[in-house]
Amino acid sequence: MGLPMARNLLRAGYRLRVYNRTPARAEELVAEGAERVERPRDLAEPGGVVFSMLADDAALEAVTLGGDGLLAGLAPGGVHVSFSTVSPAIARRMQRLHAERGCAYVAAPVVGRPDAAAAGKLWICLAGEPAARARVLPFLQLLGQAVFPFGDEPALANVVKLAANFLVGSALEALAEALALAEKQGVERSALMEMLAQTIFACSVYQNYGRMIAERHFAPGFSQRLALKDLGLVLDAADEARVPMPLAGLVHNRLLSGVARGRGEEDWTTLARAVDEAAGLV
Amino acid sequence: MGLPMARNLLRAGYRLRVYNRTPARAEELVAEGAERVERPRDLAEPGGVVFSMLADDAALEAVTLGGDGLLAGLAPGGVHVSFSTVSPAIARRMQRLHAERGCAYVAAPVVGRPDAAAAGKLWICLAGEPAARARVLPFLQLLGQAVFPFGDEPALANVVKLAANFLVGSALEALAEALALAEKQGVERSALMEMLAQTIFACSVYQNYGRMIAERHFAPGFSQRLALKDLGLVLDAADEARVPMPLAGLVHNRLLSGVARGRGEEDWTTLARAVDEAAGLV
Amino acid sequence: MGLPMARNLLRAGYRLRVYNRTPARAEELVAEGAERVERPRDLAEPGGVVFSMLADDAALEAVTLGGDGLLAGLAPGGVHVSFSTVSPAIARRMQRLHAERGCAYVAAPVVGRPDAAAAGKLWICLAGEPAARARVLPFLQLLGQAVFPFGDEPALANVVKLAANFLVGSALEALAEALALAEKQGVERSALMEMLAQTIFACSVYQNYGRMIAERHFAPGFSQRLALKDLGLVLDAADEARVPMPLAGLVHNRLLSGVARGRGEEDWTTLARAVDEAAGLV
Amino acid sequence: MGLPMARNLLRAGYRLRVYNRTPARAEELVAEGAERVERPRDLAEPGGVVFSMLADDAALEAVTLGGDGLLAGLAPGGVHVSFSTVSPAIARRMQRLHAERGCAYVAAPVVGRPDAAAAGKLWICLAGEPAARARVLPFLQLLGQAVFPFGDEPALANVVKLAANFLVGSALEALAEALALAEKQGVERSALMEMLAQTIFACSVYQNYGRMIAERHFAPGFSQRLALKDLGLVLDAADEARVPMPLAGLVHNRLLSGVARGRGEEDWTTLARAVDEAAGLV
């Protein structure tokens, strides 16, 4: 996801330094004018703005903290915009560590698949200090079609992102069950899905994922492995706040099973295969 | 639901005979020009078309069968259009009984709340014999904004309706869990819901029900008691076809609990209260 | 189950007429002195006692009711002892129909596997009219090692039997999950099971079934198909009484999936295979 | 739990140094001849044996590690016997840290309630280096009625303990559902429980907890708060090993809800209250 977002900043005329833990990944951006650095701490100019897009809490810590970390390069006044889907717990920790150095940590997790990132059509959930949010807003408006503010606590934007991913996962489970029932009762899967997608569920999640599940055409996009990480974060946040979420548990178990069975790199719509298998359909 | 639908037929200039098990309910239509009959069998003219909208399988049987039932009044060539949300099993039985008398049973369950019925904006799922379907289509186009055909077996339209209601119930559960998590983590419920309703879930189920759940404003519309009946039909159909549907079980249990606790007449969005209670929120 | 029970009555010196819907099944008993009859109604002497052991509600109705049914042969004063695992709803109906003819319907569902039946070591749950219960008690004491009374309403004994079967099914699910966790964490399955079976779970369900699941040695005994019927009855009774039973739903879905996948005739301990499969163990 | 276990060692004639984070807790043992120390590191004699019984992973780390921790006082050749119910992950970490200092970490989690500890009737799951296990076995035989070996990896004993607690929690859920169904169908709760406890479930978990749930007499013993911690460890271990455990999730959510609603200090059998509430029973 980070690649198309960085490219959009470059194309808008911004100078960009880039770092990727796998250096080859950054080469494409270098070819388009970015400057590659060796250590995350070299990304920032003092008092500048750094963006990060990383796979999980551990990667965010690895890139941000320590002597080579990006935080070490952000002098007072700097802003770190974190696009990653990470836990509210680490967002609170990052907020504190950045504040201790006179920097701001802004959470800006994004909603949308890679093609939306490429088109600058992401939806961005934003939370953090008001001044820092105002400063980075122009960049975010380049990257997304809308920015939704959720207040001063960065962790809240991460909660919102987790809630959204949980809702998508729940829709996948619901669609998979509904389509398995329909098929075994004799209804044509795509006919059902067309009706739903044109009526009460005429929205992108149901239209896009619903079609994939109806046709059992599971194009790669977001892996079960990463989705499992996200559902794990949902359940951790639910435990922390003491909120029983049985549906989140159900979706989590589908993904956990998918990974256990060696399907971790398949798109998370393939959780529908487990529904089909349980029904003897495949 | 039957009342606004009958009114739309009257207003289009059709002559209508009406029957309701509670006679007072029919009076409003009589004032608008309908003729009230004493027995369902007097509804039909030989070879004509009869519409029924009833609460459940038992009511459909009671009104259709027996010496006073509407089927007894439908001579060969007649068509019975059944709008009710009933089981595929009874649809198959009705299909057979109607065929034995030279009549056609057409299933046309409707999707939409009472205001959509009043506005002629229902979505209608249609299944039954092709000739009978063609004959009744003009009426259905008066009542709905779109008609979706699902083939020659009436039961299939009922399966589709059950699948749709299951999907709505699943969305309610998902929204209730997501909003409880968000609230206990400090996110403003309506802010989250606005973001979702404008982005990946920009469809009527999430917009309308999501707002109700976010604001805990549970306007009456579709009772937990009736929704429990529908989820029971979903699970019966799933058993019949041997399709495990754990999410349907979860939603069913929410509704069963609601009815057990005396909330059967409240709108089914109030299943969110059970989610809130389990989280210690209310 | 009916065969060893009938044999125990014969061996105690009682004269017995027998009927089985598959006549060959009765031949073995005829060889031991029973008299085979052609119709259930010929089983009873007027005012006598008839025992039935049948697979489900439909079989109980088929054998009991109608002109050839056993109830037609029971003159006033007769007693029908029903060993079957059937619904409380049909027990209430049978109670009423028997009372209308001056007969008593006594529910006496049995707990135990076929070897316990052969050894006269069943546990019997008994409910029905006090006088009828007293009359049949000597027979039941031949068949079982203990008789547990549950009052005057036959249906209550059926509820008890369903509750017991639900508890066994729940223990199977729990054992399967615990053993899958243990195995994938590196613990030897049988070592864990031995510890449990000698300590806090030193009872027959955990000892017998636990060993089967630990060793994945699924000896035939009680099929997934019949167990699915029982869990279906549990959920029906729960719906009727408005009791959400999520664990019953979970066990039911395991069995439903087993039947959907063609494993209906395997012992119900094989639900552990679905747990193993979901964990990528097999 | 630590108190009666320490007392049994004292009574057997052993010299004992004791430490408790709440010093007053140790006073009772001092009165019986123990010597109280100020820091965990003063517990051990070089090359000696130290026992710990702590609430969770964090407490085990706090008491074991750091300059004042007990590990600092265990010279090469020492053995740390850990009775706590903690995660397999921390057991692996402790094993490594002890090995680095030439010490052995032995996991010996115990099964049984405080009265069993007082009577020296615990069941002990033991895992660790063979020599260290052999050395501490005489002590364990004083504390328990049986010791079950699970090999050389300490973490395995913790997995076993978690599996056992999960099974107990599952039995509580099953009993609560079965008894709610029985009661609402008209069966007397205690009559059902007596039958089960004398027949197929004649073991301590069902007898003791079953009676408490049947009578709704929830004597304090093991709090929902601590049980929630244990079920959290079960789910963490399941995630780590990639084993979907839906029943563990169900029990976890019952406990999470109990804690969310302010019942964290009540015995974990009170999860039955949530079952009753969902059924409209209380």
Side-chain angles (χ1 to χ4, degrees):
Chain A
M1 286 292 281
L3 180 70
M5 294 170 73
R7 186 176 288 140
N8 281 337
L9 291 173
L10 277 174
R11 289 182 182 169
Y14 289 104
R15 285 178 44 229
L16 206 64
R17 294 192 191 117
V18 295
Y19 170 83
N20 194 292
R21 288 178 298 164
T22 313
R25 288 273 186 90
E27 286 309 312
E28 202 172 338
L29 291 168
V30 170
E32 300 183 39
E35 174 189 353
R36 190 164 69 76
V37 300
E38 298 293 322
R39 306 175 306 172
R41 80 171 290 164
D42 299 326
L43 285 169
E45 287 184 24
V49 175
V50 185
F51 303 93
S52 64
M53 177 56 114
L54 295 152
D56 54 27
D57 285 23
L60 175 59
E61 282 187 323
V63 161
T64 305
L65 306 181
D68 286 345
L70 71 85
L71 182 52
L74 266 183
V79 179
H80 176 186
V81 180
S82 171
F83 294 124
S84 313
T85 299
V86 290
S87 69
I90 203 172
R92 285 188 289 263
R93 187 169 168 233
M94 286 288 162
Q95 175 185 22
R96 199 179 62 244
L97 293 172
H98 284 68
E100 285 169 10
R101 292 178 170 256
C103 301
Y105 177 83
V106 169
V110 301
V111 174
R113 295 187 43 128
D115 54 344
K121 295 287 190 191
L122 293 168
W123 290 295
I124 302 177
C125 305
L126 180 63
E129 278 178 24
R133 274 194 277 151
R135 180 171 170 198
V136 303
L137 192 58
F139 302 105
L140 303 183
Q141 285 166 336
L142 273 176
L143 302 174
Q145 62 180 294
V147 177
F148 296 87
F150 287 96
D152 300 356
E153 301 295 322
L156 299 186
N158 294 106
V159 171
V160 166
K161 176 64 195 288
L162 294 178
N165 276 16
F166 155 67
L167 285 165
V168 177
S170 300
L172 299 184
E173 171 72 24
L175 285 164
E177 292 187 17
L179 288 162
L181 171 67
E183 177 172 350
K184 288 197 81 175
Q185 283 278 358
V187 174
E188 212 267 302
R189 294 169 73 95
S190 291
L192 170 58
M193 203 57 238
E194 282 311 306
M195 185 275 284
L196 295 167
Q198 289 176 39
T199 60
I200 53 177
F201 291 105
C203 54
S204 63
V205 166
Y206 284 79
Q207 288 168 339
N208 299 340
Y209 289 122
R211 213 153 284 156
M212 289 167 72
I213 294 175
E215 300 171 5
R216 296 196 177 95
H217 174 75
F218 303 116
F222 185 54
S223 71
Q224 289 210 68
R225 182 178 51 80
L226 283 173
L228 175 60
K229 178 211 70 167
D230 285 7
L231 266 291
L233 295 179
V234 169
L235 290 174
D236 287 346
D239 275 7
E240 184 183 60
R242 307 211 183 292
V243 179
M245 295 181 71
L247 178 44
L250 173 56
V251 177
H252 173 268
N253 280 345
R254 292 281 189 211
L255 296 166
L256 186 64
S257 180
V259 172
R261 302 175 76 180
R263 303 172 181 171
E265 298 313 313
E266 299 180 15
D267 189 75
W268 71 327
T269 47
T270 56
L271 68 77
R273 280 176 56 185
V275 174
D276 286 346
E277 287 164 355
L281 270 171
V282 289
Chain B
M1 287 292 281
L3 180 70
M5 294 170 72
R7 187 176 288 142
N8 281 336
L9 292 173
L10 277 175
R11 288 183 184 170
Y14 290 104
R15 284 179 43 230
L16 207 62
R17 294 192 191 116
V18 295
Y19 170 82
N20 193 293
R21 288 178 297 164
T22 314
R25 288 273 186 91
E27 285 310 312
E28 202 172 337
L29 291 168
V30 170
E32 300 184 40
E35 173 190 354
R36 192 164 69 74
V37 300
E38 298 293 321
R39 304 176 308 172
R41 81 171 291 163
D42 299 327
L43 284 170
E45 288 184 24
V49 176
V50 184
F51 303 92
S52 65
M53 177 55 114
L54 294 152
D56 54 26
D57 284 23
L60 175 60
E61 283 187 322
V63 161
T64 306
L65 307 179
D68 286 345
L70 69 86
L71 182 53
L74 268 182
V79 179
H80 176 186
V81 180
S82 171
F83 294 125
S84 311
T85 300
V86 290
S87 69
I90 204 173
R92 287 188 288 263
R93 187 168 168 233
M94 287 288 163
Q95 175 184 23
R96 201 179 61 244
L97 294 172
H98 283 68
E100 286 169 9
R101 291 178 170 257
C103 301
Y105 177 83
V106 169
V110 301
V111 173
R113 295 188 41 128
D115 54 345
K121 295 286 191 192
L122 293 168
W123 289 296
I124 302 178
C125 305
L126 180 64
E129 276 178 26
R133 275 194 278 151
R135 181 172 170 197
V136 303
L137 192 59
F139 302 105
L140 302 183
Q141 285 166 336
L142 274 175
L143 302 175
Q145 61 180 294
V147 177
F148 297 87
F150 288 96
D152 300 357
E153 301 296 321
L156 299 186
N158 295 105
V159 171
V160 167
K161 175 63 194 289
L162 293 178
N165 276 15
F166 156 66
L167 285 165
V168 176
S170 299
L172 299 184
E173 171 71 25
L175 287 164
E177 291 188 18
L179 288 162
L181 171 66
E183 177 173 349
K184 288 197 83 175
Q185 283 279 359
V187 174
E188 213 267 303
R189 292 168 75 95
S190 291
L192 170 58
M193 204 56 239
E194 281 310 307
M195 186 275 284
L196 296 167
Q198 289 176 40
T199 60
I200 52 177
F201 291 105
C203 55
S204 64
V205 165
Y206 284 79
Q207 288 168 339
N208 299 341
Y209 289 122
R211 213 154 285 156
M212 289 167 71
I213 293 175
E215 300 172 4
R216 298 196 174 95
H217 174 74
F218 303 115
F222 186 54
S223 71
Q224 290 210 68
R225 182 177 51 80
L226 282 172
L228 175 61
K229 179 210 70 169
D230 285 7
L231 266 290
L233 295 178
V234 169
L235 290 174
D236 287 347
D239 275 7
E240 184 183 60
R242 307 214 183 289
V243 179
M245 295 181 72
L247 179 44
L250 174 55
V251 177
H252 173 267
N253 280 345
R254 293 282 189 211
L255 297 165
L256 185 63
S257 180
V259 171
R261 302 174 77 179
R263 303 172 180 171
E265 298 312 314
E266 300 181 15
D267 188 75
W268 70 328
T269 48
T270 56
L271 68 76
R273 280 176 57 185
V275 175
D276 286 345
E277 286 164 355
L281 269 171
V282 289
Chain C
M1 287 292 282
L3 179 69
M5 294 170 72
R7 186 176 288 142
N8 281 336
L9 291 173
L10 277 175
R11 289 183 182 168
Y14 289 104
R15 286 178 44 229
L16 208 62
R17 294 192 191 117
V18 295
Y19 170 83
N20 193 293
R21 288 178 297 165
T22 314
R25 288 274 185 91
E27 285 310 312
E28 202 172 336
L29 291 169
V30 170
E32 300 184 38
E35 175 190 352
R36 192 164 68 74
V37 300
E38 298 293 322
R39 306 175 305 172
R41 82 171 290 165
D42 299 327
L43 284 170
E45 288 184 24
V49 175
V50 185
F51 304 92
S52 64
M53 176 55 115
L54 295 152
D56 54 27
D57 285 23
L60 176 59
E61 282 187 322
V63 161
T64 305
L65 307 180
D68 286 346
L70 70 86
L71 183 52
L74 268 183
V79 179
H80 176 187
V81 180
S82 171
F83 293 124
S84 311
T85 299
V86 290
S87 69
I90 202 172
R92 287 187 289 263
R93 185 167 170 236
M94 287 289 161
Q95 176 184 22
R96 199 178 62 244
L97 294 172
H98 283 68
E100 286 170 10
R101 294 180 169 255
C103 300
Y105 177 82
V106 170
V110 301
V111 174
R113 300 199 22 140
D115 54 345
K121 295 287 189 190
L122 293 168
W123 289 296
I124 302 177
C125 305
L126 180 62
E129 277 178 23
R133 273 194 278 151
R135 180 171 170 197
V136 302
L137 191 58
F139 302 105
L140 303 183
Q141 284 166 336
L142 273 175
L143 301 174
Q145 61 180 294
V147 177
F148 296 87
F150 288 96
D152 300 356
E153 302 294 321
L156 299 186
N158 294 106
V159 171
V160 166
K161 175 64 195 287
L162 293 177
N165 276 16
F166 155 65
L167 285 165
V168 177
S170 299
L172 300 184
E173 171 72 24
L175 286 164
E177 292 187 17
L179 288 162
L181 171 66
E183 177 172 350
K184 287 196 83 175
Q185 283 278 357
V187 174
E188 212 267 303
R189 293 168 75 95
S190 291
L192 170 57
M193 202 56 238
E194 281 310 307
M195 186 275 284
L196 295 167
Q198 289 175 40
T199 61
I200 53 178
F201 291 105
C203 55
S204 63
V205 165
Y206 285 78
Q207 288 168 338
N208 299 341
Y209 290 121
R211 213 153 285 155
M212 290 166 71
I213 294 175
E215 300 172 5
R216 296 195 175 95
H217 175 75
F218 304 115
F222 185 54
S223 71
Q224 290 210 68
R225 182 178 51 79
L226 282 173
L228 174 60
K229 178 212 70 169
D230 285 6
L231 266 291
L233 294 179
V234 169
L235 290 174
D236 287 347
D239 276 7
E240 183 184 60
R242 307 212 184 291
V243 179
M245 294 182 72
L247 179 44
L250 173 56
V251 177
H252 173 267
N253 281 345
R254 292 282 188 211
L255 297 165
L256 185 63
S257 179
V259 172
R261 301 175 77 180
R263 303 172 181 171
E265 297 313 314
E266 299 181 14
D267 189 75
W268 70 328
T269 48
T270 56
L271 68 76
R273 280 176 56 185
V275 175
D276 287 345
E277 287 164 354
L281 268 170
V282 289
Chain D
M1 287 292 283
L3 180 69
M5 294 170 73
R7 187 176 287 142
N8 281 336
L9 292 173
L10 276 175
R11 288 184 182 167
Y14 290 103
R15 284 178 45 227
L16 207 63
R17 293 191 193 118
V18 295
Y19 170 83
N20 194 293
R21 287 178 298 166
T22 314
R25 288 273 185 92
E27 285 309 312
E28 201 172 337
L29 291 168
V30 170
E32 300 184 39
E35 175 190 352
R36 191 163 69 75
V37 300
E38 297 293 321
R39 306 175 306 173
R41 81 171 288 163
D42 299 327
L43 284 170
E45 287 184 23
V49 176
V50 185
F51 303 92
S52 65
M53 177 55 114
L54 295 152
D56 54 27
D57 285 24
L60 176 59
E61 283 187 321
V63 161
T64 304
L65 307 180
D68 286 345
L70 70 85
L71 182 53
L74 267 182
V79 179
H80 176 186
V81 180
S82 171
F83 293 124
S84 312
T85 299
V86 290
S87 69
I90 202 173
R92 286 189 288 264
R93 187 169 168 232
M94 286 288 162
Q95 175 184 22
R96 201 177 62 244
L97 294 172
H98 283 68
E100 286 169 9
R101 293 181 169 254
C103 300
Y105 178 82
V106 170
V110 301
V111 173
R113 300 198 23 140
D115 54 345
K121 295 288 189 189
L122 293 167
W123 289 295
I124 302 179
C125 305
L126 180 63
E129 278 177 24
R133 274 194 278 152
R135 182 172 169 196
V136 302
L137 191 59
F139 301 105
L140 302 183
Q141 285 167 336
L142 274 174
L143 301 174
Q145 61 180 294
V147 177
F148 297 87
F150 287 96
D152 300 357
E153 301 295 321
L156 299 186
N158 294 106
V159 171
V160 167
K161 175 64 195 288
L162 293 178
N165 276 16
F166 156 65
L167 285 165
V168 177
S170 300
L172 299 184
E173 171 72 23
L175 286 164
E177 291 187 18
L179 288 162
L181 170 66
E183 177 173 349
K184 288 196 83 175
Q185 282 278 359
V187 174
E188 211 267 302
R189 293 168 75 95
S190 290
L192 170 58
M193 202 58 238
E194 281 310 306
M195 186 276 283
L196 296 167
Q198 288 175 41
T199 61
I200 53 177
F201 291 105
C203 56
S204 63
V205 165
Y206 285 78
Q207 289 169 337
N208 299 340
Y209 289 121
R211 212 153 285 154
M212 289 167 71
I213 293 174
E215 300 172 5
R216 297 195 174 95
H217 174 74
F218 303 115
F222 186 54
S223 71
Q224 290 210 68
R225 181 177 52 79
L226 282 172
L228 175 61
K229 179 210 69 168
D230 285 6
L231 266 291
L233 295 179
V234 169
L235 291 174
D236 287 346
D239 275 7
E240 185 183 60
R242 308 212 182 289
V243 179
M245 295 182 72
L247 179 43
L250 173 55
V251 177
H252 173 267
N253 280 344
R254 292 281 189 212
L255 296 166
L256 185 64
S257 180
V259 171
R261 302 174 77 179
R263 302 173 181 170
E265 298 313 314
E266 298 180 15
D267 189 76
W268 71 327
T269 47
T270 56
L271 67 77
R273 280 176 56 185
V275 175
D276 287 345
E277 286 164 355
L281 268 171
V282 288

